[in-house]
Amino acid sequence: MRILVISDIHANLTAFETVLADAKGEWDFVWCLGDVVGYGPDPNECVELLNTLPHLCLAGNHDWAALGRLDIRTFNPDARRAVEWTQETLKPQNVAYLEALPVTFVIGDYTLVHASPREPVWEYILEPLVAALNFPHFETPYCFVGHTHQPVIYELYSDNGDTRTREPHYRQAFALDKKRQIVNPGSVGQPRDQNPDAAYAIVDLEKETFEHRRIPYAIPEVQKRMRQYKLPERLVTRLEHGW
Ligand SMILES: [Zn+2]
């Protein structure tokens, strides 16, 4: 079975559709690592498209923000405005979908969370030191995370907890090899690694291979809808810069 691994769609339907078109025929099931909504102009459309696919999905911090589960006074003004707009816009059935999302999921050799195994909704794993602290918090060989919007792999390579970073080699499948790894596919709808292209990954469960991918999408179409809905300009322009 082949898995399409996606994360941080962030209500960007154009990026989501582009990823699905690019990966067409190459997967059997979808693992979505959360933040389906927040920031972007298409929260209902993204939840509804995801629901047409055979999938499982984890809860992200922006999904929880849209549900009013978080105190958004700690968010910056732009993020807060986007959360409020998302809350006003989401249909009740899509709110119900987000309410039912789990925070962790273990399937075979894979642990799935939005943020980190020890803080599944919150923690940003942005460096090997933080990754190292997280390896004791899951039991499977592999843990898939999103949240940072940066495609990367952290590999544990010694019994002392030494952890190294492996940068993605796009469209080159590699053997996971039972080495303990924390793997981030990157973000579909709001990449933050200075590359504006949508990110996703393909896993082959039988071959135990993993492949990072990028694909450009029509960013101006998304920006047009964001301006139409008066979403903050800073959130509109960041899409074309990838931060
Ligand atoms: Zn996110």
Side-chain angles (χ1 to χ4, degrees):
M1 185 184 251
R2 293 161 306 168
I3 308 295
L4 173 67
V5 187
I6 53 177
S7 191
D8 298 276
I9 298 167
H10 281 295
N12 184 335
L13 182 66
T14 310
F16 190 12
E17 287 178 337
T18 302
V19 162
L20 291 178
D22 189 52
K24 195 171 174 21
E26 296 185 79
W27 55 270
D28 309 292
F29 199 83
V30 178
W31 293 348
C32 175
L33 305 176
D35 278 4
V36 181
V37 304
Y39 294 126
D42 317 303
N44 289 307
E45 293 80 356
C46 288
V47 172
E48 287 159 14
L49 177 55
L50 186 58
N51 258 322
T52 66
L53 310 172
H55 78 284
L56 63 83
C57 184
L58 283 296
N61 54 316
H62 281 266
D63 303 316
W64 277 18
L67 299 173
R69 286 187 189 169
L70 308 182
D71 183 354
I72 59 169
R73 285 175 300 182
T74 60
F75 280 42
N76 70 54
D78 289 340
R80 199 162 61 223
R81 173 71 200 117
V83 169
E84 287 163 356
W85 180 85
T86 303
Q87 289 175 341
E88 292 157 15
T89 305
L90 271 175
K91 296 180 196 166
Q93 66 267 33
N94 295 332
V95 169
Y97 171 85
L98 296 175
E99 277 174 342
L101 298 179
V103 294
T104 55
F105 205 96
V106 179
I107 178 162
D109 284 341
Y110 302 81
T111 298
L112 313 179
V113 296
H114 176 63
S116 84
R118 67 173 180 177
E119 288 282 352
V121 181
W122 296 112
E123 186 176 32
Y124 289 90
I125 305 181
L126 284 161
E127 49 169 317
L129 203 63
V130 177
L133 294 169
N134 269 282
F135 278 106
H137 291 267
F138 65 101
E139 290 174 4
T140 56
Y142 322 119
C143 180
F144 286 4
V145 303
H147 195 43
T148 65
H149 300 205
Q150 297 186 1
V152 70
I153 294 164
Y154 297 104
E155 181 191 322
L156 184 70
Y157 68 94
S158 83
D159 294 338
N160 305 331
D162 297 318
T163 301
R164 64 181 154 218
T165 305
R166 287 167 49 185
E167 300 300 331
H169 295 283
Y170 296 113
R171 296 188 192 260
Q172 292 176 36
F174 72 92
L176 288 164
D177 231 3
K178 294 282 190 247
K179 291 179 189 138
R180 299 207 74 208
Q181 288 158 93
I182 295 173
V183 180
N184 193 322
S187 166
V188 172
Q190 196 202 70
R192 291 181 193 160
D193 60 344
Q194 325 302 323
N195 176 351
D197 294 351
Y200 72 98
I202 300 277
V203 176
D204 187 314
L205 297 183
E206 279 79 39
K207 294 184 192 159
E208 288 196 49
T209 58
F210 181 91
E211 182 182 333
H212 274 117
R213 292 187 177 181
R214 300 303 282 263
I215 185 77
Y217 69 96
I219 293 172
E221 287 181 17
V222 187
Q223 293 178 316
K224 195 174 153 200
R225 292 196 295 281
M226 291 178 80
R227 290 191 173 112
Q228 193 180 321
Y229 301 138
K230 300 192 168 43
L231 286 162
E233 187 59 25
R234 192 174 145 275
L235 299 182
V236 177
T237 51
R238 72 186 294 179
L239 289 179
E240 73 206 47
H241 303 294
W243 56 268

